[in-house]
Amino acid sequence: MDKRLFASLVVVLNLLLLMNSVFAQTQSLDTFSTLEEEIILLERNEISNIGSNRYTKPEKGQVFVINRMDLDNYEKILEDDYIEVYYWDKNASIRVLNKVNGYIWGGLPSEKPSDMNVTWSGIGNSLVSIDYYDQAGIERKTSIAANNVKREYVVNGNTIFFSVNFTQLGISFDFSVELNDGSLIFRLDSDSIQETGKYMLGSVYFVPFFGSVRADEIDGYIFIPDGPGALIRFDKPFKYLSNFEKRVYGKDFAIDHLFEVNDLKVSRPNDFATEEKSVLMPIFGVVHGPKQNGLFARITSGEEYAAIVATPAGVLTNYNWVSAKFIYRQKYLQPTTKSGAGVQIVQPTRNHFDPEIRYYFLSGDDADYVGMAKAYRNMLYEEGVLARQERIDGQIPLKIGILGSDIEKGFIFNSLKVITSLEQAKEIVIRLNSEGISNLAVVMKGWQKGGLNGSKVSKFAFEEKLGEKDEFLEFSDFVNQSGGRFYFYENPVAVNQFQIDLRKEGGHSLSQDLIKIQRDNDYIWIKDTYLVKVNLVAEYLENKAELYDSNGMKNMAVDVVGFKLYAENQRGDVVTRDQARVMLEKTAQNIANNLENLALYTPNQYFWRYSSEIFHLPMVNSQYIYETDTVPFIQIVLKGSIDYYAPYSNMGFYSPTDILRLIEYGAYPSFILTALTNDELKYTAISDSYYSTFFEDWFDVIVSTYFTINEALSKVEGKQIIDRKVLKEGIVKVDYEGDVSIIVNYTNYDYYFEKNVVPTLGYLIIS
C-alpha cells in the first residue's frame, strides 16, 4: 500500500479522537464504512490482540487467599512492630509472619514435597543456595540444607549471623539476615568466601523460593522488571523451553554475549529480530491474591553482578518462583584458533562485590504491582534519585529526532550525504509551530563532522556541509525561543570501524577479543558494531561536555550509555562493571551540573537522578510465552517526576491502539524525521535502521497524533499515578492525583462508566 495513502488513513483514524461532553471529554476512533477495507482490517487486528501479553488482564473476582504455611517446628528469633521471623535449623529455612494481616510467608509448604527431589527440596526451603562449578566446568546446584554442609548461627539484636561450610566442596562464607523496620535484609560478606578445594563458587541465591506457589493453587503472579514491567500469573505446569533470566542493567558485553545463544532457528537473518528488553531496575515481586498479600524485593548492593531469575511452573519443578542470582563466576569462550573457535571455560577470578537484597511485605491495597511501584517510587524520592520535576507547560512535549547527515557508500570512496540541512530542520520546526505545537524536544543526529556513522567518536567538530557553529547555535536559539529545547546527539559507546581506532579505543572481552556485536544480514553495509573502552567513553563525554559549555551548546542527548553497562577486560587496563557504573555516573553528574539539560535514552535506574528527559522508554515487555501481562510499572514510578517519551511512532508505534497506550502510560510521542525520502537514503549507513522518515509523509500523522495525546495528557502534567485498574478486558482506568482519571477503551464496543461513554478505540477523561 502507498505510504502516503496509509499515512492518510491513519490520520483519519486519529482525527476521529475529537469529541467532547459536558461532564467528561471523550475521544474515539470509530469504524467508518466509506474508507478502504484495510482500515477495518487494521482495527480488527489491533482489537484482537487485547487478550495477549501486550496488555494487562483483569483480575479475577476477589478470592480470599488462605495461609498455606504454618509455624510448626519453627522458633521465633526476630520480631519488630510489623513482622515476626521464625527459623527451623533442620532445613535452614525461615518463615515470616506479617503482623498486619496474619499472613505467613516462606519457601515450600513442607519439608519434602512429594513432587521434588532432595536437592530441589533443599533449595526450595533453605535460606541460601549456590551454583558451583566442578573440575570439568559443569555447573551444579546445592543449598545450605544439604547433608554435607556445616552451619552455625548466632542472634545479635535484630540480626542473625550465619557461617556455612560446604565441606565436600571446600567452599565456605558468612552471611546475615537483618530485621529492619518491617523489612528483611540479606547480606553476604565477600571477604569471607573461601575456596579451598577443586570446586569454584558460581552464584549465590538468598531464599530463592520465598513466596513460591505450586502451579495455580492460588490466584496471584510474579512481577519482573522486563521492559516497562511484566507479570507471570500462576498457572498449571507447562513444558517451557527456558525460564526468565536477565542481568540487571543489561548484559555485560565484555563476557555475556560470547557464550549466550543468539539464534532464532529460522531462515530469515537473526538481525531482523527486535532487540530484547533490558532490566532497568533491580527489583521483583510476588503477589498472593491481588490486594491481599505482596512481597517486594529490591537489590541494594551488587546489582551490577545480579540477574533476575523467574521460573514458571513446569521448568524443572511444579513451582512458580523468582529470585535474585548474584554472579561470582560464569563461563566464557576462550579462543583456541585465529578463526574464533574455542572452548567454554569458567571465569578464573571471582567477581568481588558484597550482595545485599531487601524484602518488603505488603498487604491490602498495597499488595499488587501498583503498590510495589508506589513503594519503590517513595524509596527513590527519599534517596534523592527522583524529585517532582516533570515540566508543566500546559501543552505536552513532542520529541522530534532529525537526521542531519551520514556517510554514503560509493563505488571507490565513501562520501558524506546531507540528509536534513539546518534550513530544512528549521522549516520542520516552523511547520509544527504553525500547527500550534511549540513544546518540542528537537534532537539533531549526525551534526558532527563525518555524519552519524562517519564521525570520530573522540573528536568534536561540526559538519560544515550542514552549517557552521554559529548556524547551529542560531538554530538552537530558535527552537528555545519557540518554546522547545534543542539537543545535540551523542553516542560514544556503539560505533563502527570508521569511527574509532580499534586497536586503541575498542573495548575488550574477558577472552581479550574486541567487544563486537555482529548483525546476521548480508544485505546491509555495516554489519559490525564495536563498543568503546568504557573509561574512554567517560573521558570523551567529559571532554565534550566542557566543549559544549565553552561553545554555548546547552543540551546534550546521550544514547546507549544509559542501558549498556559493561566491563573492560584488557590485560593491564581492567575496569570492572561496578567501577564502570561509578565512572559513568560521575560523568553524568558533571554533565548535568554544567549543561542545562541532559537527556538519556532508556537509562538504567541509577541514571534517573541526572536525566532532564528520558527518551525511548519501553512500552511493552519482551513477550516471552510465559509472560502473561505487560504493566506500566516504570511509568507509575516516573510519572510526575520526569518527562518520558515512547519509542519513535513512525518506526512501528503509531497504530490507534499504540496511541491509546501512550495515553494510558502517560508517555509522550516521538518521531524520527528527514528532509529526504527513504529511497534517497538507500546507500547511506542508516538505510537499514530507519525505513520511513520522510517528513512530508508523516506531517499530518504527527499533528493528529500529538493533539490526540495532548488532549488527555495535558490534564495530568506533573501529576503522579496513584492507581490503575483493568475494569474488564481492554478497558483500563488510570487514576492521578487531584481526582483526575483517564479510562482507555481498546475494544470494538462502547463502554459505559457511571453514565458516561468511553468510545471504542477511545478514552474518557474524568475530573
Side-chain angles (χ1 to χ4, degrees):
M1 184 177 181
D2 182 78
K3 287 188 293 184
R4 290 176 178 269
L5 175 57
F6 184 76
S8 300
L9 297 180
V10 175
V11 171
V12 175
L13 283 170
N14 293 339
L15 286 176
L16 289 177
L17 294 170
L18 297 171
M19 297 182 177
N20 297 313
S21 66
V22 175
F23 173 78
Q25 302 169 48
T26 65
Q27 294 193 340
S28 171
L29 291 173
D30 294 328
T31 304
F32 37 91
S33 58
T34 57
L35 294 180
E36 294 190 6
E37 292 181 358
E38 293 186 27
I39 295 179
I40 299 174
L41 181 60
L42 175 64
E43 285 185 346
R44 288 175 179 170
N45 288 340
E46 291 168 347
I47 292 169
S48 68
N49 288 328
I50 62 175
S52 72
N53 61 5
R54 292 174 60 87
Y55 297 85
T56 310
K57 293 174 172 54
E59 300 298 348
K60 301 175 182 177
Q62 189 75 1
V63 178
F64 184 71
V65 174
I66 62 174
N67 271 319
R68 300 173 304 117
M69 304 274 180
D70 58 48
L71 300 175
D72 296 345
N73 301 317
Y74 284 79
E75 174 190 2
K76 183 166 67 174
I77 52 177
L78 298 176
E79 181 180 8
D80 67 7
D81 293 339
Y82 307 99
I83 64 174
E84 297 174 357
V85 181
Y86 293 79
Y87 178 66
W88 189 18
D89 192 53
K90 182 178 180 181
N91 58 6
S93 66
I94 63 168
R95 290 188 177 172
V96 176
L97 171 68
N98 185 345
K99 296 167 74 171
V100 175
N101 60 5
Y103 196 73
I104 300 173
W105 292 90
L108 301 177
S110 64
E111 180 185 359
K112 174 66 173 67
S114 59
D115 55 356
M116 267 190 171
N117 61 30
V118 173
T119 298
W120 277 104
S121 295
I123 293 170
N125 274 312
S126 68
L127 280 166
V128 171
S129 298
I130 66 169
D131 297 334
Y132 65 94
Y133 293 99
D134 63 16
Q135 293 173 274
I138 298 174
E139 188 177 33
R140 304 181 186 276
K141 293 181 180 291
T142 190
S143 71
I144 65 171
N147 292 329
N148 60 349
V149 177
K150 293 181 179 180
R151 57 181 181 272
E152 298 176 348
Y153 75 93
V154 60
V155 180
N156 185 355
N158 62 349
T159 305
I160 319 169
F161 295 93
F162 287 86
S163 293
V164 295
N165 187 346
F166 299 83
T167 54
Q168 292 185 5
L169 305 179
I171 297 173
S172 63
F173 54 80
D174 301 334
F175 71 94
S176 64
V177 183
E178 178 187 347
L179 175 58
N180 186 317
D181 200 24
S183 66
L184 280 185
I185 307 171
F186 296 82
R187 298 188 182 95
L188 191 152
D189 179 8
S190 290
D191 289 338
S192 70
I193 297 175
Q194 299 291 324
E195 296 168 305
T196 58
K198 300 177 181 179
Y199 299 91
M200 294 183 287
L201 179 64
S203 304
V204 172
Y205 308 75
F206 294 108
V207 286
F209 273 65
F210 207 57
S212 65
V213 171
R214 188 182 189 280
D216 58 350
E217 288 184 345
I218 65 172
D219 180 28
Y221 52 77
I222 293 169
F223 161 75
I224 51 176
D226 181 37
L231 306 183
I232 302 174
R233 295 186 184 269
F234 302 147
D235 206 347
K236 290 180 173 59
F238 184 84
K239 294 188 180 300
Y240 299 105
L241 295 178
S242 64
N243 62 346
F244 177 91
E245 181 175 331
K246 283 189 180 181
R247 289 287 292 263
V248 175
Y249 304 145
K251 294 179 181 178
D252 182 351
F253 282 84
I255 182 170
D256 284 344
H257 82 296
L258 294 179
F259 72 91
E260 290 189 0
V261 175
N262 182 27
D263 194 351
L264 294 173
K265 303 297 183 184
V266 292
S267 57
R268 63 193 174 110
N270 290 347
D271 174 64
F272 285 95
T274 301
E275 185 175 356
E276 62 179 350
K277 302 297 184 293
S278 180
V279 172
L280 305 178
M281 303 169 287
I283 57 173
F284 59 88
V286 180
V287 168
H288 290 186
K291 301 294 186 184
Q292 296 180 58
N293 311 288
L295 188 68
F296 179 61
R298 180 188 180 194
I299 303 169
T300 45
S301 178
E303 59 265 45
E304 301 88 356
Y305 300 100
I308 306 298
V309 180
T311 305
V315 179
L316 298 177
T317 76
N318 291 326
Y319 285 80
N320 303 279
W321 59 276
V322 61
S323 181
K325 174 182 179 180
F326 292 99
I327 303 168
Y328 281 100
R329 283 191 181 86
Q330 59 192 98
K331 284 187 175 181
Y332 71 99
L333 181 69
Q334 179 63 57
T336 55
T337 67
K338 292 183 178 180
S339 64
V343 295
Q344 296 286 332
I345 66 171
V346 179
Q347 185 179 338
T349 304
R350 193 172 67 238
N351 297 325
H352 290 279
F353 65 99
D354 294 320
E356 178 181 291
I357 184 170
R358 301 189 177 210
Y359 283 83
Y360 302 85
F361 301 88
L362 309 176
S363 57
D365 288 342
D366 295 328
D368 62 2
Y369 67 87
V370 177
M372 294 177 194
K374 291 162 65 176
Y376 187 47
R377 179 175 67 196
N378 291 337
M379 295 173 198
L380 297 180
Y381 274 118
E382 291 174 2
E383 296 165 9
V385 175
L386 291 179
R388 300 297 292 269
Q389 295 178 339
E390 181 180 334
R391 290 182 174 85
I392 304 175
D393 302 309
Q395 181 189 72
I396 69 168
L398 169 68
K399 175 176 171 281
I400 296 295
I402 296 178
L403 294 170
S405 64
D406 198 16
I407 50 175
E408 185 173 46
K409 191 174 185 180
F411 181 68
I412 299 177
F413 300 106
N414 301 328
S415 61
L416 183 122
K417 189 175 187 68
V418 174
I419 298 170
T420 310
S421 68
L422 286 178
E423 281 301 314
Q424 290 169 323
K426 185 175 182 180
E427 179 60 28
I428 289 174
V429 173
I430 291 173
R431 290 274 302 278
L432 293 172
N433 288 169
S434 69
E435 296 292 331
I437 306 174
S438 58
N439 190 2
L440 296 173
V442 180
V443 181
M444 175 67 82
K445 293 188 174 186
W447 62 271
Q448 302 97 329
K449 184 176 181 60
L452 183 61
N453 287 286
S455 58
K456 297 295 183 182
V457 70
S458 61
K459 305 297 182 182
F460 177 88
F462 295 90
E463 177 47 60
E464 296 177 354
K465 291 186 177 180
L466 281 179
E468 301 289 342
K469 181 186 79 171
D470 290 343
E471 294 176 280
F472 277 97
L473 297 182
E474 180 184 339
F475 180 47
S476 175
D477 290 339
F478 172 75
V479 174
N480 294 338
Q481 291 166 8
S482 300
R485 298 159 300 287
F486 179 81
Y487 287 94
F488 293 89
Y489 175 88
E490 299 284 353
N491 174 8
V493 173
V495 296
N496 59 56
Q497 68 268 27
F498 303 121
Q499 297 181 280
I500 61 170
D501 181 330
L502 292 175
R503 183 177 61 86
K504 295 180 180 179
E505 298 175 288
H508 291 78
S509 68
L510 201 58
S511 61
Q512 300 304 299
D513 283 340
L514 289 171
I515 303 175
K516 181 171 65 173
I517 302 171
Q518 296 176 295
R519 301 178 67 178
D520 180 20
N521 187 346
D522 293 331
Y523 296 99
I524 62 175
W525 174 16
I526 301 175
K527 297 174 60 176
D528 298 335
T529 299
Y530 298 88
L531 300 190
V532 178
K533 285 183 178 179
V534 67
N535 55 311
L536 293 182
V537 170
E539 178 184 325
Y540 293 163
L541 277 177
E542 292 268 11
N543 293 340
K544 288 185 178 181
E546 293 179 5
L547 291 168
Y548 269 48
D549 187 38
S550 62
N551 282 279
M553 301 159 69
K554 301 175 181 178
N555 309 312
M556 180 187 291
V558 182
D559 203 351
V560 184
V561 170
F563 58 88
K564 275 188 169 49
L565 179 63
Y566 55 96
E568 168 55 41
N569 285 315
Q570 186 177 28
R571 293 189 183 94
D573 190 23
V574 173
V575 179
T576 63
R577 201 176 194 222
D578 55 330
Q579 290 172 339
R581 170 184 166 175
V582 171
M583 190 181 298
L584 293 172
E585 269 199 80
K586 182 180 178 182
T587 298
Q589 182 180 18
N590 291 339
I591 296 173
N593 290 338
N594 293 328
L595 301 181
E596 288 188 9
N597 294 291
L598 170 63
L600 292 167
Y601 289 74
T602 325
N604 292 324
Q605 175 253 296
Y606 54 84
F607 276 129
W608 292 354
R609 69 171 75 226
Y610 313 113
S611 304
S612 303
E613 302 182 78
I614 291 177
F615 298 154
H616 287 212
L617 199 67
M619 301 294 285
V620 69
N621 62 38
S622 299
Q623 296 183 261
Y624 300 124
I625 191 171
Y626 46 75
E627 292 178 326
T628 56
D629 306 62
T630 294
V631 294
F633 186 99
I634 195 169
Q635 286 82 2
I636 295 172
V637 173
L638 292 175
K639 188 61 182 172
S641 300
I642 187 170
D643 290 346
Y644 53 84
Y645 301 78
Y648 297 128
S649 287
N650 55 324
M651 292 292 104
F653 205 79
Y654 65 94
S655 73
T657 52
D658 291 330
I659 295 169
L660 288 176
R661 187 185 296 269
L662 266 68
I663 294 170
E664 184 203 337
Y665 284 21
Y668 300 134
S670 63
F671 292 82
I672 181 74
L673 303 171
T674 60
L676 298 181
T677 66
N678 284 81
D679 185 61
E680 296 174 283
L681 304 178
K682 61 185 177 182
Y683 297 117
T684 63
I686 63 169
S687 61
D688 60 282
S689 301
Y690 302 106
Y691 44 83
S692 181
T693 58
F694 184 39
F695 174 65
E696 294 299 335
D697 284 347
W698 287 98
F699 175 72
D700 291 338
V701 176
I702 293 170
V703 173
S704 63
T705 298
Y706 174 82
F707 282 109
T708 295
I709 298 170
N710 181 68
E711 182 62 30
L713 296 188
S714 62
K715 308 293 191 301
V716 294
E717 281 188 299
K719 297 182 184 294
Q720 290 182 341
I721 295 173
I722 60 174
D723 202 4
R724 176 180 186 263
K725 183 177 182 181
V726 180
L727 303 177
K728 63 182 304 183
E729 187 173 81
I731 310 291
V732 185
K733 181 173 179 281
V734 182
D735 298 328
Y736 287 85
E737 296 174 307
D739 294 327
V740 179
S741 298
I742 299 177
I743 303 177
V744 174
N745 182 356
Y746 292 100
T747 73
N748 60 355
Y749 57 84
D750 292 344
Y751 179 80
Y752 290 86
F753 180 83
E754 297 179 354
K755 299 182 181 179
N756 294 278
V757 179
V758 189
T760 177
L761 286 177
Y763 64 84
L764 169 74
I765 303 172
I766 301 175
S767 60

